[in-house]
Amino acid sequence: MKIFKYIRIILLICIVAIILLLSVIYINHKIHLSKEDALFIPTGQMVEVNGHDMHIYSEGEGDKTLVFMSGGGTSSPVLDFKSLYSLLSTNHKIVVVEKAGYGFSEIADIDRDIDTILSETREALSKSGIDGPYILCPHSMSGIEALYWAQNYPNEVRAIIGLDMAVPDSYQVYDINIPMLKMSALGARLGITRWIPGIEESDAIRFGSLTEEEKELYRVVFYRRTASSTMINEVEEIKDNARKVKENGIPDIPFLIFSSNGEGTGWDESTWINLQEDFVNRVEDGTLIKLDSPHYIHNYEYEKIAKEIDNFTRRKFND
């Protein structure tokens, strides 16, 4: 019997030790957040949409408006795309939409069905005084929103330039580990992420053209916008959203799609590329450019991509 008593004591000590450790980690996280508040300042315009604030960044004065739409879970869309759009803002108007729970936008525990997401994006652009028609530049999961936009508001979308964008078929057999995502969210809220070496070093930081100040700001945003509740809600809805978009068919607009080698997508290289090739083959006016780089292609091949986008928009919309 004594051995069970000792086991209970050991278990109790372990539980208390874990609670104390997590408390120290959380307090350390809150202290750092407080110190970083001075850096967490929006670089664009904040607008209220659907009961929460959204951040819209814009630069450039060109007559063709490129709207950059981030992939799922990208902590700081404005900085993530910067290496690419900084090369395009001379000839284009650049806009980055940060959805709820991303970047400087407010975290909101709200439904993330495709109609709500698109409605918020369109209203945020309207309130920012940024009128269409737009050339949408979605990365990864936001390809679903871009397609739905073109399906439902064809007069607002001139073309889609996919930055390794997901297509509806991508999610038909994709296994999404929601419990693991929720564990990641808990770890981020507690501040455990601060103790994992290199986790905050995004591809934009390691391979893009950000300045040291911008890299530091990205890190600040990362610790506030990793696996936010809004992001988790979005992932939980993505299969239904993709199914709805697939049922509506392919919009009759020009497509320029850049494809990665599949690294970082969750699919193997051949499957990922085949998904995008199959999609482009069903497009009336579509071009696929394959790049031998990981999923965040705009942080690896931004010079090549910028040149191709310039050529594409000049060729298609030289009016």
Side-chain angles (χ1 to χ4, degrees), residues 157-213:
V157 180
R158 304 177 78 178
I160 290 179
I161 298 174
L163 302 171
D164 212 29
M165 64 177 266
V167 297
D169 286 343
S170 306
Y171 295 103
Q172 287 195 333
V173 295
Y174 188 55
D175 183 23
I176 302 173
N177 193 332
I178 298 297
M180 181 61 69
L181 288 175
K182 290 185 175 180
M183 286 294 293
S184 300
L186 177 60
R189 285 196 292 273
L190 290 174
I192 294 174
T193 47
R194 291 188 185 271
W195 298 86
I196 303 175
I199 192 173
E200 78 287 359
E201 299 296 298
S202 68
D203 286 353
I205 290 176
R206 290 184 295 161
F207 304 107
S209 61
L210 300 181
T211 65
E212 291 304 314
E213 291 77 12

Side-chain angles (χ1 to χ4, degrees), residues 63-65 133-135 154 156-160 253-254 317 319:
D63 59 356
K64 296 177 283 287
T65 302
Y134 313 106
I135 299 172
E156 295 181 10
V157 180
R158 304 177 78 178
I160 290 179
I253 55 173
F317 309 111
D319 46 23

Side-chain angles (χ1 to χ4, degrees), residues 34-296:
S34 179
K35 290 179 179 179
E36 293 162 355
D37 279 344
L39 295 176
F40 190 67
I41 300 173
T43 54
Q45 182 179 358
M46 301 296 295
V47 293
E48 184 178 352
V49 176
N50 196 22
H52 57 83
D53 289 335
M54 285 181 63
H55 180 238
I56 303 293
Y57 175 84
S58 64
E59 68 174 60
E61 299 296 336
D63 59 356
K64 296 177 283 287
T65 302
L66 303 178
V67 176
F68 287 83
M69 307 162 68
S70 68
T74 302
S75 299
S76 178
V78 165
L79 293 173
D80 181 62
F81 287 121
K82 186 172 178 57
S83 299
L84 175 58
Y85 68 65
S86 62
L87 301 177
L88 293 164
S89 57
T90 300
N91 299 320
H92 304 81
K93 183 174 181 62
I94 302 300
V95 182
V96 183
V97 178
E98 294 195 321
K99 294 177 289 187
Y102 289 73
F104 294 106
S105 292
E106 186 179 356
I107 296 174
D109 191 12
I110 53 179
D111 290 337
R112 295 285 81 189
D113 62 276
I114 193 70
D115 289 283
T116 300
I117 294 174
L118 179 56
S119 174
E120 290 180 359
T121 297
R122 294 176 65 244
E123 184 177 349
L125 288 170
S126 176
K127 287 189 173 181
S128 300
I130 300 171
D131 300 320
Y134 313 106
I135 299 172
L136 305 181
C137 303
H139 173 240
S140 193
M141 192 165 71
S142 64
I144 302 302
E145 181 187 353
L147 289 169
Y148 196 63
W149 196 341
Q151 289 167 348
N152 287 274
Y153 304 95
N155 293 334
E156 295 181 10
V157 180
R158 304 177 78 178
I160 290 179
I161 298 174
L163 302 171
D164 212 29
M165 64 177 266
V167 297
D169 286 343
S170 306
Y171 295 103
Q172 287 195 333
V173 295
Y174 188 55
D175 183 23
I176 302 173
N177 193 332
I178 298 297
M180 181 61 69
L181 288 175
K182 290 185 175 180
M183 286 294 293
S184 300
L186 177 60
R189 285 196 292 273
L190 290 174
I192 294 174
T193 47
R194 291 188 185 271
W195 298 86
I196 303 175
I199 192 173
E200 78 287 359
E201 299 296 298
S202 68
D203 286 353
I205 290 176
R206 290 184 295 161
F207 304 107
S209 61
L210 300 181
T211 65
E212 291 304 314
E213 291 77 12
E214 289 166 342
K215 291 177 181 179
E216 183 60 28
L217 179 57
Y218 200 119
R219 297 182 183 104
V220 167
V221 177
F222 172 84
Y223 289 118
R224 286 166 164 76
R225 298 294 184 267
T226 294
S228 68
S229 60
T230 325
M231 292 176 181
I232 301 298
N233 292 346
E234 188 176 18
V235 174
E236 288 181 318
E237 295 276 358
I238 187 58
K239 286 199 172 187
D240 287 338
N241 290 340
R243 191 177 302 113
K244 189 171 185 177
V245 171
K246 181 178 175 63
E247 291 170 354
N248 290 342
I250 297 176
D252 185 19
I253 55 173
F255 282 83
L256 172 63
I257 296 181
F258 298 92
S259 180
S260 75
N261 59 18
E263 182 181 338
T265 65
W267 288 266
D268 62 81
E269 181 175 358
S270 61
T271 300
W272 180 249
I273 293 176
N274 285 340
L275 284 166
Q276 296 187 330
E277 282 183 331
D278 289 345
F279 179 84
V280 171
N281 287 339
R282 290 181 280 130
V283 170
E284 184 72 23
D285 182 2
T287 300
L288 178 68
I289 297 177
K290 299 177 184 178
L291 301 172
D292 187 17
S293 62
H295 187 40
Y296 279 75

